[in-house]
Amino acid sequence: MLKRLSCLIVDDEPLAIDVIENYLQRIDNVDIRRCENAIEAFKLFQEVKFDLVFLDIEMPLLTGIDFLKSIKNPPAIIITTAYRDYAVEGFEWEVLDYLVKPISFPRFMKAFERAIKGIRTGSPQDAGVGEDQGFLFLKTNKKMIKILTSELLYVESLKDYIKVVTTDHTWISYQTLTSITEKLPPARFMRIHRSFTIALDKVDAVEGNCVLIAGQQIPISRECRQDLLKRIPK
C-alpha cells in the first residue's frame, strides 16, 4: 500500500484554498493542511514534513518566493497564482509546476501526477526532467530566458559554460552539458560527443564522423555513431 501523501496549501485567499482542497479530497491517501499566509506555513514547516506544497505568490508580509528562499530542502512545490509574470522566477527556484488561477481540475491533475511521479521515485524536483514540455528556461545574463525545444539546434560544452544554439539565436549559460541534456526530452535529443548534444530532427546530413546542422559540422564520438544512425528519422 502506498504511503499517505502530506500536502500543504498556502494562500491568503480562503476560496482559492477551498478549490485546491476540494480537488485533493477527490484523491485517496492524501492528508491536507492549509495556511492563509507564508509566515504561518514557515512555522508549520518546523513541525511537519510535507511531500507537496501548493504555494501562492502574492501574499502579505512574506511572498511565496521569499518563503521558498527561506526554507532548506523544499519538497515538491507547485505554484498557484493569478499572475503569469511569476513563471520565470518560479522556474528559477525549480518549482515543479506553475498553475494560473482559475485552475481547472484536468490541469490540476496533470501537475499532481507529475508530483506523484517524482515523490514516489524520491526526486520530486526532477519529476519533469526529460519530459517534452515544449520549452525550458535558461539562466543567462542574470535573466531566465524561455527556449522552445522545437527551435533548439544543438548545445555545446565550453568547460564551465554551455553554448545553446537555436534557429535564430545563440545563448551562453553557466551550467554543464550534462545538466541541460538531462532536462531535454530523450526521444528528440541525443548527446553524440562529450562536448555536444543535438536535436535529432535538425540533422541535415551525416558525413563521416560528423553531423551537419544548419551549416555547422559537429563531431560524433566513435561510441555514439551507430546509435545515432539508428535514431535519426528516416
Side-chain angles (χ1 to χ4, degrees), residues 6-226:
S6 179
C7 297
L8 175 65
I9 310 167
V10 187
D11 201 310
D12 63 327
E13 298 179 7
L15 291 178
I17 295 180
D18 290 344
V19 169
I20 299 298
E21 186 171 30
N22 177 267
Y23 289 166
L24 287 171
Q25 287 172 343
R26 305 182 193 185
I27 302 168
D28 294 332
N29 295 321
V30 175
D31 292 324
I32 308 166
R33 299 287 293 270
R34 48 191 289 164
C35 292
E36 294 188 7
N37 62 71
I39 293 177
E40 180 184 344
F42 182 80
K43 294 177 180 178
L44 190 58
F45 256 68
Q46 313 308 309
E47 305 170 5
V48 182
K49 182 178 180 181
F50 292 99
D51 299 305
L52 175 61
V53 178
F54 294 88
L55 180 66
D56 186 27
I57 296 297
E58 286 286 352
M59 292 182 286
L61 301 178
L62 188 69
T63 70
I65 294 296
D66 288 335
F67 171 74
L68 277 178
K69 294 176 181 178
S70 69
I71 58 176
K72 296 180 180 179
N73 302 317
I77 303 288
I78 295 176
I79 286 180
T80 61
T81 181
Y83 303 95
R84 295 180 181 272
D85 295 343
Y86 287 110
V88 171
E89 190 170 7
F91 280 112
E92 183 176 1
W93 284 93
E94 298 183 351
V95 302
L96 189 64
D97 211 334
Y98 182 94
L99 303 181
V100 179
K101 302 172 184 175
I103 302 165
S104 69
F105 184 65
R107 181 66 182 89
F108 166 85
M109 283 305 302
K110 182 177 180 180
F112 184 81
E113 287 168 1
R114 282 187 62 193
I116 289 294
K117 176 183 175 182
I119 291 166
R120 300 305 187 205
T121 58
S123 54
Q125 296 299 348
D126 294 329
V129 168
E131 294 181 1
D132 195 353
Q133 303 179 81
F135 65 91
L136 56 81
F137 280 94
L138 188 72
K139 189 171 185 179
T140 179
N141 294 328
K142 299 182 179 180
K143 295 188 296 185
M144 296 293 287
I145 305 297
K146 186 176 184 178
I147 305 292
L148 299 179
T149 55
S150 61
E151 297 179 357
L152 201 161
L153 301 179
Y154 64 88
V155 185
E156 179 180 359
S157 173
L158 304 173
K159 292 187 178 180
D160 295 331
Y161 293 82
I162 56 170
K163 180 170 72 173
V164 178
V165 181
T166 67
T167 53
D168 60 359
H169 209 288
T170 296
W171 306 96
I172 302 296
S173 179
Y174 181 68
Q175 63 175 297
T176 66
L177 182 62
T178 297
S179 67
I180 192 169
T181 300
E182 288 175 347
K183 296 174 185 176
L184 295 169
R188 295 183 49 229
F189 291 86
M190 178 180 174
R191 187 166 181 171
I192 63 168
H193 187 273
R194 61 186 175 86
S195 298
F196 288 93
T197 292
I198 66 167
L200 295 170
D201 61 348
K202 298 298 192 297
V203 173
D204 297 317
V206 179
E207 302 175 350
N209 291 323
C210 292
V211 296
L212 190 67
I213 298 180
Q216 177 69 36
Q217 277 195 332
I218 298 172
I220 312 167
S221 71
R222 183 181 304 173
E223 296 79 9
C224 294
R225 192 174 190 279
Q226 290 302 316

